[in-house]
Amino acid sequence: MMLEEKLKEAFETIKEVLSFSNNPVVMSSFGKDSMLLLELLKRSGYRFPIIFHKEPFFPKKYQFANWVIQ
């Protein structure tokens, strides 16, 4: 499957899943999978509140996430 086909399928899946929700939010770890999901949502034109849960024990672990958030 070519990239364009994968993107089209991803956008269709996002649209279908969101049709079941009235007030969606996105939970993100800002890891590679979450970043891809956020990019797909952005390209789809959707804007949602993003929930990011982090533990205070490993501040260096969250440097990239903090950078993206800022």
Side-chain angles (χ1 to χ4, degrees), residues 30-64:
F30 293 96
K32 60 182 181 264
D33 296 330
S34 291
M35 292 300 293
L36 176 60
L37 176 61
L38 293 175
E39 180 62 23
L40 289 172
L41 290 170
K42 180 179 164 187
R43 288 186 186 193
S44 297
Y46 294 108
R47 299 289 188 267
F48 304 116
I50 299 171
I51 297 171
F52 174 52
H53 173 77
K54 64 180 178 180
E55 299 290 336
F57 309 112
F58 307 104
K60 285 194 169 206
K61 178 180 177 181
Y62 300 112
Q63 285 179 332
F64 176 75

Side-chain angles (χ1 to χ4, degrees), residues 8-23:
K8 182 180 177 188
E9 189 174 318
F11 294 138
E12 290 172 0
T13 301
I14 289 168
K15 187 176 181 178
E16 180 182 348
V17 169
L18 291 176
S19 71
F20 297 105
S21 179
N22 293 327
N23 194 17

